[in-house]
Amino acid sequence: MSEVTSRELPDWLDAHLQATDNSEPPELFRLWCGISTLAAALERKVSLDWGPVYYPNMYIVLVAPAGRARKGTAMRPAQKYLTNLGTKLAASTVTREALIQTLEEAQDMIMDNHDKPYSHASLTIFSPELTVFLGYNNMQLMSDLTDWFDCADRWEYRTKNAGTSIITGVYINLIGAT
């Protein structure tokens, strides 16, 4: 049985909002950056079994006119948290193949509540300029992101020259701005 420890903060999200209260971005942007940070930290290690199993991944995009709403400023503390936590992050600009390889390399084995090992591939896409990450009219990447949102237990990618990638326990979390 695991040891219960006291919490340093009664509510992390409230503390994040308070810590960023004197910054320029609107509270709504700071709130969603905090929610995305929590989803990234939880990875596929947390789920709700309500018939189908739900994982806490989110695809969050901050949308506002360029240079006005301080989207990047709202995202900066989240990036710092994720970096300090050692969260697996995708590159800012990436090809589809490289992203699949990064997701495959993110696979990790952990123990469940019944001491049974299981594999998950949890990755966060952190993109202050989402258009740079997605590229122009990259429908295949958009299709992959749509497919990965459901956190498939197994996802397979096969090429005629590079072999097969099998990813177990897909978990993609995305925070971006445009």
Side-chain angles (χ1 to χ4, degrees), residues 86-104:
T87 304
K88 294 169 187 150
L89 299 171
S92 299
T93 305
V94 66
T95 64
R96 175 186 190 229
E97 292 74 16
L99 183 60
I100 291 168
Q101 181 180 355
T102 302
L103 183 58
E104 188 175 24

Side-chain angles (χ1 to χ4, degrees), residues 89-123:
L89 299 171
S92 299
T93 305
V94 66
T95 64
R96 175 186 190 229
E97 292 74 16
L99 183 60
I100 291 168
Q101 181 180 355
T102 302
L103 183 58
E104 188 175 24
E105 291 168 356
Q107 290 186 108
D108 193 14
M109 186 69 70
I110 61 173
M111 302 300 258
D112 68 12
N113 291 339
H114 305 290
D115 290 327
K116 292 183 182 176
Y118 74 92
S119 179
H120 71 99
S122 297
L123 182 67

